[in-house]
mmCIF file with all atom_site columns, all heavy atoms in Angstrom:
data_model
loop_
_atom_site.group_PDB
_atom_site.id
_atom_site.type_symbol
_atom_site.label_atom_id
_atom_site.label_alt_id
_atom_site.label_comp_id
_atom_site.label_asym_id
_atom_site.label_entity_id
_atom_site.label_seq_id
_atom_site.pdbx_PDB_ins_code
_atom_site.Cartn_x
_atom_site.Cartn_y
_atom_site.Cartn_z
_atom_site.occupancy
_atom_site.B_iso_or_equiv
_atom_site.pdbx_formal_charge
_atom_site.auth_seq_id
_atom_site.auth_comp_id
_atom_site.auth_asym_id
_atom_site.auth_atom_id
_atom_site.pdbx_PDB_model_num
ATOM 1  N N   . ASP C 1 16 ? 7.522  5.639  25.981 1.00 0.00 ? 16 ASP C N   1
ATOM 2  C CA  . ASP C 1 16 ? 6.244  4.962  26.164 1.00 0.00 ? 16 ASP C CA  1
ATOM 3  C C   . ASP C 1 16 ? 5.718  5.373  27.548 1.00 0.00 ? 16 ASP C C   1
ATOM 4  O O   . ASP C 1 16 ? 6.473  5.901  28.374 1.00 0.00 ? 16 ASP C O   1
ATOM 5  C CB  . ASP C 1 16 ? 6.500  3.442  26.098 1.00 0.00 ? 16 ASP C CB  1
ATOM 6  C CG  . ASP C 1 16 ? 5.320  2.643  26.583 1.00 0.00 ? 16 ASP C CG  1
ATOM 7  O OD1 . ASP C 1 16 ? 4.211  2.865  26.068 1.00 0.00 ? 16 ASP C OD1 1
ATOM 8  O OD2 . ASP C 1 16 ? 5.500  1.803  27.497 1.00 0.00 ? 16 ASP C OD2 1
ATOM 9  N N   . VAL C 1 17 ? 4.450  5.117  27.838 1.00 0.00 ? 17 VAL C N   1
ATOM 10 C CA  . VAL C 1 17 ? 3.870  5.526  29.130 1.00 0.00 ? 17 VAL C CA  1
ATOM 11 C C   . VAL C 1 17 ? 3.667  4.338  30.069 1.00 0.00 ? 17 VAL C C   1
ATOM 12 O O   . VAL C 1 17 ? 4.403  4.160  31.047 1.00 0.00 ? 17 VAL C O   1
ATOM 13 C CB  . VAL C 1 17 ? 2.546  6.302  28.902 1.00 0.00 ? 17 VAL C CB  1
ATOM 14 C CG1 . VAL C 1 17 ? 1.814  6.515  30.220 1.00 0.00 ? 17 VAL C CG1 1
ATOM 15 C CG2 . VAL C 1 17 ? 2.848  7.645  28.255 1.00 0.00 ? 17 VAL C CG2 1
ATOM 16 N N   . ASP C 1 18 ? 2.651  3.515  29.777 1.00 0.00 ? 18 ASP C N   1
ATOM 17 C CA  . ASP C 1 18 ? 2.282  2.450  30.719 1.00 0.00 ? 18 ASP C CA  1
ATOM 18 C C   . ASP C 1 18 ? 3.398  1.421  30.826 1.00 0.00 ? 18 ASP C C   1
ATOM 19 O O   . ASP C 1 18 ? 3.807  0.830  29.819 1.00 0.00 ? 18 ASP C O   1
ATOM 20 C CB  . ASP C 1 18 ? 0.973  1.783  30.280 1.00 0.00 ? 18 ASP C CB  1
ATOM 21 C CG  . ASP C 1 18 ? -0.184 2.756  30.331 1.00 0.00 ? 18 ASP C CG  1
ATOM 22 O OD1 . ASP C 1 18 ? -0.584 3.122  31.438 1.00 0.00 ? 18 ASP C OD1 1
ATOM 23 O OD2 . ASP C 1 18 ? -0.674 3.175  29.261 1.00 0.00 ? 18 ASP C OD2 1
ATOM 24 N N   . GLY C 1 19 ? 3.883  1.228  32.036 1.00 0.00 ? 19 GLY C N   1
ATOM 25 C CA  . GLY C 1 19 ? 4.967  0.271  32.278 1.00 0.00 ? 19 GLY C CA  1
ATOM 26 C C   . GLY C 1 19 ? 6.340  0.914  32.182 1.00 0.00 ? 19 GLY C C   1
ATOM 27 O O   . GLY C 1 19 ? 7.297  0.390  32.738 1.00 0.00 ? 19 GLY C O   1
ATOM 28 N N   . THR C 1 20 ? 6.450  2.050  31.484 1.00 0.00 ? 20 THR C N   1
ATOM 29 C CA  . THR C 1 20 ? 7.753  2.692  31.280 1.00 0.00 ? 20 THR C CA  1
ATOM 30 C C   . THR C 1 20 ? 7.907  3.920  32.187 1.00 0.00 ? 20 THR C C   1
ATOM 31 O O   . THR C 1 20 ? 8.880  4.019  32.944 1.00 0.00 ? 20 THR C O   1
ATOM 32 C CB  . THR C 1 20 ? 7.914  3.100  29.797 1.00 0.00 ? 20 THR C CB  1
ATOM 33 O OG1 . THR C 1 20 ? 7.870  1.915  28.996 1.00 0.00 ? 20 THR C OG1 1
ATOM 34 C CG2 . THR C 1 20 ? 9.224  3.827  29.550 1.00 0.00 ? 20 THR C CG2 1
ATOM 35 N N   . ILE C 1 21 ? 6.951  4.839  32.123 1.00 0.00 ? 21 ILE C N   1
ATOM 36 C CA  . ILE C 1 21 ? 6.981  6.029  33.002 1.00 0.00 ? 21 ILE C CA  1
ATOM 37 C C   . ILE C 1 21 ? 6.597  5.599  34.425 1.00 0.00 ? 21 ILE C C   1
ATOM 38 O O   . ILE C 1 21 ? 7.165  6.072  35.402 1.00 0.00 ? 21 ILE C O   1
ATOM 39 C CB  . ILE C 1 21 ? 5.981  7.099  32.479 1.00 0.00 ? 21 ILE C CB  1
ATOM 40 C CG1 . ILE C 1 21 ? 6.374  7.544  31.069 1.00 0.00 ? 21 ILE C CG1 1
ATOM 41 C CG2 . ILE C 1 21 ? 5.811  8.230  33.478 1.00 0.00 ? 21 ILE C CG2 1
ATOM 42 C CD1 . ILE C 1 21 ? 7.125  8.831  30.926 1.00 0.00 ? 21 ILE C CD1 1
ATOM 43 N N   . ALA C 1 22 ? 5.611  4.711  34.514 1.00 0.00 ? 22 ALA C N   1
ATOM 44 C CA  . ALA C 1 22 ? 5.155  4.194  35.823 1.00 0.00 ? 22 ALA C CA  1
ATOM 45 C C   . ALA C 1 22 ? 4.525  2.819  35.601 1.00 0.00 ? 22 ALA C C   1
ATOM 46 O O   . ALA C 1 22 ? 4.084  2.504  34.493 1.00 0.00 ? 22 ALA C O   1
ATOM 47 C CB  . ALA C 1 22 ? 4.134  5.150  36.433 1.00 0.00 ? 22 ALA C CB  1
ATOM 48 N N   . GLU C 1 23 ? 4.488  2.035  36.676 1.00 0.00 ? 23 GLU C N   1
ATOM 49 C CA  . GLU C 1 23 ? 3.812  0.719  36.624 1.00 0.00 ? 23 GLU C CA  1
ATOM 50 C C   . GLU C 1 23 ? 2.314  0.979  36.819 1.00 0.00 ? 23 GLU C C   1
ATOM 51 O O   . GLU C 1 23 ? 1.768  0.792  37.904 1.00 0.00 ? 23 GLU C O   1
ATOM 52 C CB  . GLU C 1 23 ? 4.363  -0.208 37.722 1.00 0.00 ? 23 GLU C CB  1
ATOM 53 C CG  . GLU C 1 23 ? 5.777  -0.698 37.463 1.00 0.00 ? 23 GLU C CG  1
ATOM 54 C CD  . GLU C 1 23 ? 5.844  -1.853 36.452 1.00 0.00 ? 23 GLU C CD  1
ATOM 55 O OE1 . GLU C 1 23 ? 4.849  -2.110 35.755 1.00 0.00 ? 23 GLU C OE1 1
ATOM 56 O OE2 . GLU C 1 23 ? 6.925  -2.478 36.376 1.00 0.00 ? 23 GLU C OE2 1
ATOM 57 N N   . THR C 1 24 ? 1.678  1.422  35.767 1.00 0.00 ? 24 THR C N   1
ATOM 58 C CA  . THR C 1 24 ? 0.285  1.864  35.857 1.00 0.00 ? 24 THR C CA  1
ATOM 59 C C   . THR C 1 24 ? -0.730 0.727  35.805 1.00 0.00 ? 24 THR C C   1
ATOM 60 O O   . THR C 1 24 ? -1.889 0.929  36.147 1.00 0.00 ? 24 THR C O   1
ATOM 61 C CB  . THR C 1 24 ? -0.036 2.784  34.665 1.00 0.00 ? 24 THR C CB  1
ATOM 62 O OG1 . THR C 1 24 ? 0.335  2.072  33.479 1.00 0.00 ? 24 THR C OG1 1
ATOM 63 C CG2 . THR C 1 24 ? 0.705  4.096  34.757 1.00 0.00 ? 24 THR C CG2 1
ATOM 64 N N   . GLU C 1 25 ? -0.310 -0.447 35.333 1.00 0.00 ? 25 GLU C N   1
ATOM 65 C CA  . GLU C 1 25 ? -1.312 -1.480 35.045 1.00 0.00 ? 25 GLU C CA  1
ATOM 66 C C   . GLU C 1 25 ? -1.874 -2.125 36.308 1.00 0.00 ? 25 GLU C C   1
ATOM 67 O O   . GLU C 1 25 ? -3.072 -2.096 36.540 1.00 0.00 ? 25 GLU C O   1
ATOM 68 C CB  . GLU C 1 25 ? -0.733 -2.549 34.099 1.00 0.00 ? 25 GLU C CB  1
ATOM 69 C CG  . GLU C 1 25 ? -0.290 -2.014 32.733 1.00 0.00 ? 25 GLU C CG  1
ATOM 70 C CD  . GLU C 1 25 ? -1.438 -1.527 31.831 1.00 0.00 ? 25 GLU C CD  1
ATOM 71 O OE1 . GLU C 1 25 ? -2.594 -1.599 32.245 1.00 0.00 ? 25 GLU C OE1 1
ATOM 72 O OE2 . GLU C 1 25 ? -1.142 -1.071 30.717 1.00 0.00 ? 25 GLU C OE2 1
ATOM 73 N N   . CYS C 1 26 ? -0.989 -2.693 37.154 1.00 0.00 ? 26 CYS C N   1
ATOM 74 C CA  . CYS C 1 26 ? -1.450 -3.481 38.299 1.00 0.00 ? 26 CYS C CA  1
ATOM 75 C C   . CYS C 1 26 ? -2.145 -2.630 39.364 1.00 0.00 ? 26 CYS C C   1
ATOM 76 O O   . CYS C 1 26 ? -3.155 -3.034 39.922 1.00 0.00 ? 26 CYS C O   1
ATOM 77 C CB  . CYS C 1 26 ? -0.268 -4.231 38.902 1.00 0.00 ? 26 CYS C CB  1
ATOM 78 S SG  . CYS C 1 26 ? -0.814 -5.639 39.817 1.00 0.00 ? 26 CYS C SG  1
ATOM 79 N N   . GLU C 1 27 ? -1.592 -1.446 39.619 1.00 0.00 ? 27 GLU C N   1
ATOM 80 C CA  . GLU C 1 27 ? -2.161 -0.576 40.661 1.00 0.00 ? 27 GLU C CA  1
ATOM 81 C C   . GLU C 1 27 ? -3.144 0.443  40.099 1.00 0.00 ? 27 GLU C C   1
ATOM 82 O O   . GLU C 1 27 ? -3.792 1.160  40.854 1.00 0.00 ? 27 GLU C O   1
ATOM 83 C CB  . GLU C 1 27 ? -1.028 0.174  41.393 1.00 0.00 ? 27 GLU C CB  1
ATOM 84 C CG  . GLU C 1 27 ? -0.153 -0.685 42.269 1.00 0.00 ? 27 GLU C CG  1
ATOM 85 C CD  . GLU C 1 27 ? -0.961 -1.468 43.295 1.00 0.00 ? 27 GLU C CD  1
ATOM 86 O OE1 . GLU C 1 27 ? -1.915 -0.895 43.862 1.00 0.00 ? 27 GLU C OE1 1
ATOM 87 O OE2 . GLU C 1 27 ? -0.655 -2.647 43.503 1.00 0.00 ? 27 GLU C OE2 1
ATOM 88 N N   . GLY C 1 28 ? -3.216 0.544  38.788 1.00 0.00 ? 28 GLY C N   1
ATOM 89 C CA  . GLY C 1 28 ? -4.050 1.577  38.181 1.00 0.00 ? 28 GLY C CA  1
ATOM 90 C C   . GLY C 1 28 ? -5.151 1.018  37.309 1.00 0.00 ? 28 GLY C C   1
ATOM 91 O O   . GLY C 1 28 ? -6.304 0.898  37.727 1.00 0.00 ? 28 GLY C O   1
#
Side-chain angles (χ1 to χ4, degrees):
D16 167 54
V17 170
D18 296 290
T20 298
I21 299 260
E23 289 281 14
T24 53
E25 299 292 0
C26 203
E27 290 305 320

